Amino acid sequence: MTFPSADSAQTQADSPGPTPSILTPGKPIRLSKGSLVAEVQPGCGGRLARLARRDTRGDLFDYLVPLGDEPFSSDEWPKAGAFPMLPYTNMLRDDTLHWRERTIGVREAPAASSSLHGWGLRREWDVVDESPDCCVLQLDSPAQPEWPWHYQAYLSVTLDEHGVDMLLSITNLSTEDMPAGLGLHPYFRWPAGARLTFESEAIWRSPSEDIRWPSEQRVHVGAMEVVSVGGGLDTGGRSTWFAEVPSESGRFDARIDYAGGLRSVTVRSDNATWLVLHSPAGRPYLCLEPSTHRVGEFDDDHVVLAHGQTLDLSMRVDLA
């Protein structure tokens, strides 16, 4: 499937308005290919709500924490599935964007208590294409005080017999240049005994859970391994790492092996410059988030899109 041309994008009278306070899961788009099944909830932030494999007995093994069917606050979402982050990822310092001598408060009050992860996960997306193993969603977001640029985003979710491809894009439809960043945020199952391996050029950590900005750097890290004890990443109690893309390969490959050696997940991205790793202590999920910029540094570390230009981000998830 292909995305519609950016040149043909039109602002609709019924374009999404302010962020709703409540999102309610509806009838999902169900995708299947071979033994893999997936469910997508366009009305809940374009979220991949389930990703599972059916075994020979007909039982499903969920690789992502599945999204339930209960309504939830758009500002306090369930830690489940996988959602798009845009027009930037994670958070900006003090919910503020400094852009070309302008200061923009990006928190959308009263719908959000912070600007965490932008608005893509808080809005309803439109379905523009659908088949048994693929769907394409669209989000049209007119300029608003918290983000004074008009942009349009597309998200495709495609299953094959080995895994899923997610492709996220954002196009600037405003006449002025727009700063832009993208991310994808999956919640993988992370039970005790699961093992994560990946490589990174450098790891940044925040000094504590109270200070979420990456300030402590370990350079030339190379191969890393983390074994789950039921949540958490390190003995210091810090739940979040920020990994720079390996300079030699220029791509991320992160692998989770589940206890027993029968199941695994490999996450790859060819166009992310950062991989955010997040797992709070005592919570059996692990987020591996390919991103185009570092948390808190969007003012300096971002792409600038002229009118009609597009930024893409891909994530490949192989399942075994």
Side-chain angles (χ1 to χ4, degrees), residues 12 17 67 84 90 96 99 112 119 124 126 133 148 153 163 166 176 185 210 243 249 257 306:
Q12 303 295 324
L67 180 70
N90 289 284
T96 301
W99 172 251
W119 296 282
E124 297 181 3
D126 296 318
D133 56 13
M166 298 183 71
E176 296 183 358
H185 194 307
D210 296 328
S249 65
D257 287 284

Side-chain angles (χ1 to χ4, degrees), residues 200-211:
S200 175
E201 185 70 17
I203 295 289
W204 294 73
R205 294 175 171 137
S206 55
S208 70
E209 283 299 279
D210 296 328
I211 302 175

Side-chain angles (χ1 to χ4, degrees), residues 19 26-27 46 61 76 123 139 145 150-151 182 193 222 229-230 252 266 281:
T19 299
K27 182 179 179 181
F61 178 86
E76 190 63 34
R123 300 281 177 84
L139 176 67
H150 180 191
Y151 63 85
L182 296 175
V229 293
F252 280 111
T266 302

Side-chain angles (χ1 to χ4, degrees), residues 8 33-34 56 70 73 78 80 97 103 120 158 212 235 252 254 256 267 297:
S8 66
K33 189 71 173 182
T56 55
E70 294 296 320
S73 168
L97 172 66
T103 300
T158 305
R212 297 295 182 93
T235 56
F252 280 111
I256 303 171
V267 178
E297 298 299 328

Side-chain angles (χ1 to χ4, degrees), residues 274-301:
W274 292 87
L275 181 70
V276 180
L277 301 93
H278 176 66
S279 180
R283 301 292 295 274
Y285 62 78
L286 171 65
C287 303
L288 300 174
E289 311 163 32
S291 305
T292 62
H293 66 92
R294 193 179 72 167
V295 60
E297 298 299 328
F298 189 70
D299 300 351
D300 302 311
D301 180 15

Side-chain angles (χ1 to χ4, degrees), residues 138-162:
Q138 172 191 300
L139 176 67
D140 188 271
S141 184
Q144 61 188 62
E146 298 81 10
W147 196 260
W149 296 275
H150 180 191
Y151 63 85
Q152 191 168 70
Y154 287 92
L155 173 66
S156 71
V157 180
T158 305
L159 277 183
D160 58 39
E161 295 182 351
H162 303 288

